[in-house]
Amino acid sequence: MDYLLSSSLALASYADLSPGDIAPRALRVEGVPTVLANQLSANWIVRDGISNFVSGLSATFFETKDGGQLVLAIRGTDNVQDLITDAISVSTIGTYRYQLQYIELRDWLIGLGRDHLLPASFEIVGHSLGGFLAAAIMSSFPQAVSHAYLFNT
């Protein structure tokens, strides 16, 4: 995967998406340029995702329509909950082990694995706080994460 595609998926993780086809309009609302939004929509689907307004966590599994590539994209700081996470959990505590969004994401991935829905291998991208979480997931699931792309982390 190249940097343009990985950064586009990181940006797409900010969009409000549901499993299935990707609506280009949902991506454009989050600042994805029209050409990229149309390319993502034509070639990718949302396989699964997790979003929790209370904790601020938002992550999306994107899959190519031919099923050949799977990418977990984790959204960065986007709301007050994320700012609290940045200020307290990341800056003060300094480790991901006690960070609430990490724990929630890790437990979600463990649940997918328990239900045999976690792929054997996937790539991970993250922007800002999402990059911090992507690095933490990469450390926790080294056998599953084939590549990581972190932006503005």
Side-chain angles (χ1 to χ4, degrees):
M1 181 165 58
D2 64 30
Y3 290 111
L4 177 60
L5 176 57
S6 59
S7 64
S8 298
L9 290 171
L11 182 56
S13 70
Y14 284 82
D16 184 19
L17 302 171
S18 299
D21 288 335
I22 299 170
R25 185 180 186 320
L27 299 177
R28 289 193 307 270
V29 166
E30 293 302 328
V32 177
T34 300
V35 171
L36 287 176
N38 290 339
Q39 288 175 346
L40 290 174
S41 177
N43 297 302
W44 294 81
I45 61 167
V46 172
R47 180 174 179 177
D48 204 348
I50 183 171
S51 182
N52 183 330
F53 178 77
V54 175
S55 71
L57 174 65
S58 182
T60 306
F61 260 123
F62 292 99
E63 183 175 21
T64 54
K65 289 188 175 181
D66 66 7
Q69 193 172 11
L70 189 64
V71 177
L72 177 61
I74 307 170
R75 190 197 72 202
T77 303
D78 196 45
N79 57 36
V80 173
Q81 293 85 344
D82 292 334
L83 289 173
I84 292 169
T85 294
D86 287 347
I88 297 173
S89 298
V90 178
S91 299
T92 305
I93 297 172
T95 180
Y96 62 83
R97 288 187 175 88
Y98 310 109
Q99 203 270 342
L100 296 178
Q101 289 185 11
Y102 162 75
I103 293 168
E104 186 176 5
L105 184 57
R106 179 203 64 200
D107 291 351
W108 177 64
L109 291 171
I110 289 170
L112 289 175
R114 187 176 43 248
D115 296 339
H116 306 287
L117 300 173
L118 185 66
S121 178
F122 58 90
E123 296 176 70
I124 193 167
V125 300
H127 169 256
S128 186
L129 175 60
F132 172 83
L133 293 169
I137 292 301
M138 186 176 65
S139 295
S140 300
F141 297 86
Q143 72 287 355
V145 178
S146 60
H147 291 87
Y149 300 86
L150 314 177
F151 299 95
N152 197 27
T153 301

